[in-house]
């Protein structure tokens, strides 16, 4: 059995006190422990931003990538080693701005990875500029006249038939852990957009602001198996913000259809295909 | 047969210029001739004016000759453009019934469209009729051509092309009295492969155990992606059609981190997008192989044409300072071995190896000896063994190379970071660790210098002039130097098939005693010349530069060097 101790990182987080990332970190650890996954069975692929530091504050294999580029190496690693539980930690800038193309195509191809978007609706690491999810009219250092309309990541995911579309809230660690657990267990791409209060640079979407608005879909009678209903639910934003699984269905996973390496193959020993001789003969 | 026989197949895009050119090259290779061919085509799917040149030789050949002995023309424009290039003893073979009479000399008229229609019911195989007619005039055996067609085409197409070829042979026997002075015969080694640079490189990657490729199509490297995609299932390999080149290089880095040999391929424009990924591979010390098939730039440039304009770019691409290796294979055979070596160097030194080719090398077919697989060695470099304590991905070592481990093993966590990091892979801003990490990475260049194959000086022992080149200009320069040597010029050829780290001491020793150093390059600014000057402080006296989008022919280099030695 894995324990929370197994996931205790050596480094002390450098996040601001009160940062939503603490909740996400705790939820990730809890989910992995509840799934009984050991650190060596996890690969965290993180982006750049405060989110990208998360893997350093727990334990697991870590590939800390470039800004916006966490998705491509993550899906490739999963193709090569299907035994790895691949978790992407990325922010709203990396996922929905710099790397949106990668996210859309990875959801479309349906790789079996879990993508946690630390969505604080602002650029934190660069000290407070507008992000792709900054609310319309939001005043930031780069949008002194107000931000243009935001992207709706849940609708984007639904548009490419992502099989697990969810929203979590960093302050509700137990609920978020439950969503992450379901996302990791889901066969296929899981997009989890996480409302993450930024105490330093987002003075609109604060802890309090979110707490007044979020509600859990569980218990409301909502079933996440209807795409049309999901399409409507994904547009609910403002006075009430739904959290939980918005849409879920299984469809073929990209890497499972590939005739590549056996997941238990010893990677350290290269076996060159015996077919090469035949291929050379084809050119004679 | 005189020393070489030069063919040109010309016509519009969509008329089968490529297929007929390839079949002609294959027919000649199967008789044991050395063959070299190049392709010149416009960036369009139908129409225009394309050509495919094939040169057959009794001795190894790696360049195209200007004068054509036999022009096989499918379009009027093909004749109008090229009839002046036909040698005095040469012939133009075409269909007067469809193209009409052209006011050119030495033509052989074959009613190819009519014969195709009579034999197969449509005119689609007219080009095969012309091919058969040309080979018949040269004494090629009908049976040998028919068996070639049967192996190249499938199903109904095979049946129709065989019928068309038979019609072509029959027509020549019954109606054409011209006898070619050159007659083909079966000579030499008949088991050579006919491959172009991209195919050879793909085979090299397979032989090296490459398991993963991610790429986005771009001329001239698309056929690498297509070939490996087609073979992936039987090879147990994955080829991911990435959404863009940024994704491609990042996927390759992720796959390599996870434990397999991985590569991508692109042209200069796609490489522009990959540049930030180069830095990631460098910082995380992840071995990757990147094929860069050059074409003329900047921007879209000339998509289907030739240039060697990216050397400066490959030497310097990406911010920051880090080691890299650049291989510049010169022939199709070298493409195979460059791929094998690239994976070994990438893994041994945990860095990016760039294989630079170009349109000319990527698409030119040549007949080469079968690749000797017994010479292929695989070196994965230092791998972590459990006994050596807690695993640190970026552990400091004497040679800067840290043992690699792959994620997923109990007791081993593989941690790496695009931020500067400590030995364990966790991010750090400690100035001392930063300096040590920079030194660790750059220090690999010391051992790498010993890995680079030195350029060989070929030709006169004490040359009065040295012509230097790199990559695909090899054949044209070598032939020019051979010809000039025969006319008494004391000349030698220095060629770089592996260019970075630059072997500056050795090159300096070679060049310092030579009164005149020339560099022949397919670019406008003399990028190799600049590199030589920068690294050796030896002045390059003159350049032979071509940057009109076409490859060199030996004659152009002879003319340029001839000016110098007069």
């Amino acid at each position: 059995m894995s324990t929370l101790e197994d996931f205790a990182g050596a480094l002390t987080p450098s996040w601001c006190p009160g940062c939503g990332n603490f909740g996400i970190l705790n939820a990730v650890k809890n989910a992995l422990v509840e799934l009984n996954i050991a650190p060596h069975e996890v690969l965290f692929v993180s982006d750049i931003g405060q989110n990208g530091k998360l893997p350093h504050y727990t334990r697991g294999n870590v590939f800390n990538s470039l800004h916006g580029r966490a998705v491509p190496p993550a899906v490739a690693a999963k193709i090569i080693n299907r035994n790895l539980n691949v978790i992407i930690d990325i922010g709203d800038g990396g996922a929905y701005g710099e790397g949106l193309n990668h996210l859309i195509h990875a959801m479309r191809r349906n790789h079996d990875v879990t993508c946690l978007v630390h969505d604080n609706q602002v650029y934190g690491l660069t000290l407070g500029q507008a992000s792709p999810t900054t609310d319309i009219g939001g005043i930031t250092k780069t949008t002194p006249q107000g931000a243009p309309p935001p992207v709706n990541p849940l609708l984007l995911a639904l548009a490419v038939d992502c099989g697990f579309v969810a929203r979590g809230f960093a302050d509700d660690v137990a609920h978020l852990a439950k969503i992450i657990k379901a996302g990791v267990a889901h066969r296929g791409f899981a997009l989890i957009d996480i409302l993450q209060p930024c105490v330093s640079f987002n003075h609109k979407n604060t802890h309090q602001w979110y707490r007044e608005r979020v509600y859990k879909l569980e218990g409301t009678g909502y079933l996440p198996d209807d795409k049309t209903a999901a399409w409507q639910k994904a547009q609910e934003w403002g006075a009430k913000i739904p959290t939980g699984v918005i849409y879920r269905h299984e469809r073929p996973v990209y890497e499972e259809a590939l005739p590549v390496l056996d997941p238990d193959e010893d990677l350290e020993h290269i076996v060159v295909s015996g077919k090469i001789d035949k291929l050379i003969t084809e050119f004679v | 047969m005189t020393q070489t026989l030069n063919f040109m197949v010309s016509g519009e895009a969509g008329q089968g210029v490529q297929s007929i050119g390839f079949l002609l090259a294959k027919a000649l290779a199967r008789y044991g001739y050395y063959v070299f061919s190049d392709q010149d085509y416009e960036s369009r799917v139908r129409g225009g004016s394309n050509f495919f040149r094939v040169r057959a030789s009794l001795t190894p050949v790696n360049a195209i000759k200007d004068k054509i002995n036999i022009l096989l023309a499918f379009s009027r424009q093909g004749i109008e453009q090229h009839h002046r290039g036909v040698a005095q003893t040469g012939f133009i073979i075409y269909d007067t019934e469809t193209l009409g009479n052209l006011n050119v000399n030495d033509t052989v008229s074959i009613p190819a469209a009519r014969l195709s229609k009579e034999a197969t019911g449509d005119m689609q195989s007219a080009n095969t009729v012309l091919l058969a007619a040309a080979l018949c005039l040269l004494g090629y055996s009908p049976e040998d051509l028919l068996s070639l067609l049967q192996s190249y085409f499938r199903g109904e197409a095979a049946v129709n092309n065989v019928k068309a070829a038979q019609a072509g042979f029959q027509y020549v026997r019954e109606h054409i009295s011209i006898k070619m002075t050159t007659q083909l015969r079966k000579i030499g080694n008949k088991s050579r492969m006919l491959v172009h640079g991209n195919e050879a490189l793909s085979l090299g990657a397979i032989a090296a155990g490459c398991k993963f490729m991610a790429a986005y199509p771009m001329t001239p490297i698309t056929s690498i992606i297509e070939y490996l995609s087609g073979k992936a299932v039987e090879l147990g390999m994955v080829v991911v059609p990435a959404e863009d080149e940024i994704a491609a290089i990042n996927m390759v880095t992720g796959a390599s981190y996870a434990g397999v040999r991985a590569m991508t391929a692109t042209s200069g424009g796609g490489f522009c997008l990959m540049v930030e990924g180069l830095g990631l591979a460098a910082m995380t010390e992840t071995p990757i192989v990147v094929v860069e098939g050059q074409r003329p730039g900047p921007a879209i440039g000339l998509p289907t044409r030739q240039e060697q304009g990216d050397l400066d770019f490959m030497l310097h691409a990406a911010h920051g300072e880090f080691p890299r290796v650049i291989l510049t294979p010169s022939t199709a055979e070298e493409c195979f071995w460059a791929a094998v070596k690239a994976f070994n160097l990438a893994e041994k030194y945990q860095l990016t190896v760039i294989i630079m080719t170009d349109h000319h090398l990527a698409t030119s077919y040549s007949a080469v000896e079968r690749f000797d697989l017994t010479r292929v060695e695989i070196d994965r470099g230092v791998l972590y063994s459990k006994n050596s304590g807690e695993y640190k991905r970026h552990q400091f070592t004497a040679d800067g190379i840290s043992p690699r481990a792959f994620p997923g093993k109990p007791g081993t966590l593989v941690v790496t970071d695009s931020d500067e990091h400590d030995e364990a892979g966790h991010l750090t801003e400690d100035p001392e660790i930063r300096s040590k990490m920079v030194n660790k990475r750059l220090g690999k260049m010391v051992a790498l210098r010993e890995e680079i194959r030195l350029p060989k000086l070929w030709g006169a022992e004490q040359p009065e002039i040295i012509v230097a080149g790199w990559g695909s200009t090899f054949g044209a320069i070598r032939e020019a130097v051979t010809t000039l040597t025969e006319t008494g010029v004391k000349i030698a050829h220095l060629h770089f098939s592996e260019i970075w780290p630059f072997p500056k001491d050795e090159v300096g020793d070679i060049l310092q005693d030579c009164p005149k150093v020339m560099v022949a390059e397919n670019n406008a600014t003399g990028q190799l010349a600049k590199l030589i000057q920068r690294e050796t402080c030896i002045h390059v006296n003159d350049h032979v530069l071509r940057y009109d989008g076409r490859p060199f022919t030996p004659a152009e280099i002879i003319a340029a060097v001839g000016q110098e030695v007069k």
Side-chain angles (χ1 to χ4, degrees), chain A residues 40 56 61-62 64-66 69 76 101-102 109 259-260 267-268 270 272 275 277-278 281-283, chain B residues 26 193-194 199 231 234 236 238 243-244 246 251 258 261 276 370 378 380 409 414 416-418 426:
Chain A
H40 75 270
H56 295 287
N61 296 288
V62 182
N64 197 165
S65 73
L66 298 170
R69 314 300 172 215
N101 198 30
H102 309 312
R109 289 188 299 257
V260 72
L267 292 173
E268 290 173 15
I270 285 188
V272 175
K275 302 278 171 56
D277 210 53
K278 188 206 89 176
T281 303
E282 289 175 357
F283 287 94
Chain B
K26 192 87 176 168
M193 312 164 64
L194 186 71
E199 289 166 342
K231 301 295 181 191
E234 60 180 300
V238 176
E243 57 270 19
D244 56 37
I246 302 174
M251 284 179 182
R261 292 188 154 191
E276 66 163 17
R370 203 182 163 94
I378 288 176
R380 300 213 72 186
K409 297 265 171 68
V414 186
T416 191
D417 198 325
S418 62
H426 289 295

Side-chain angles (χ1 to χ4, degrees), chain B residues 19 29 86 95 128 131 154 158 459-460:
Chain B
S19 298
V86 177
D95 186 348
T128 303
L131 171 68
R154 295 267 173 276

Side-chain angles (χ1 to χ4, degrees), chain B residues 511-552:
Chain B
L511 296 182
Q512 66 181 358
D513 296 327
C514 183
K516 185 159 275 183
V517 178
M518 286 182 80
V519 177
E521 300 181 70
N522 257 156
N523 59 48
T525 55
Q527 299 184 20
L528 172 62
K530 284 188 284 184
L531 181 63
I532 290 173
Q533 290 182 166
R534 197 177 72 213
E535 293 289 319
T536 67
C537 297
I538 287 172
H539 181 65
V540 170
N541 304 81
D542 211 347
H543 303 94
V544 189
L545 303 174
R546 182 165 191 179
Y547 43 89
D548 61 355
R550 273 69 178 172
F552 278 117

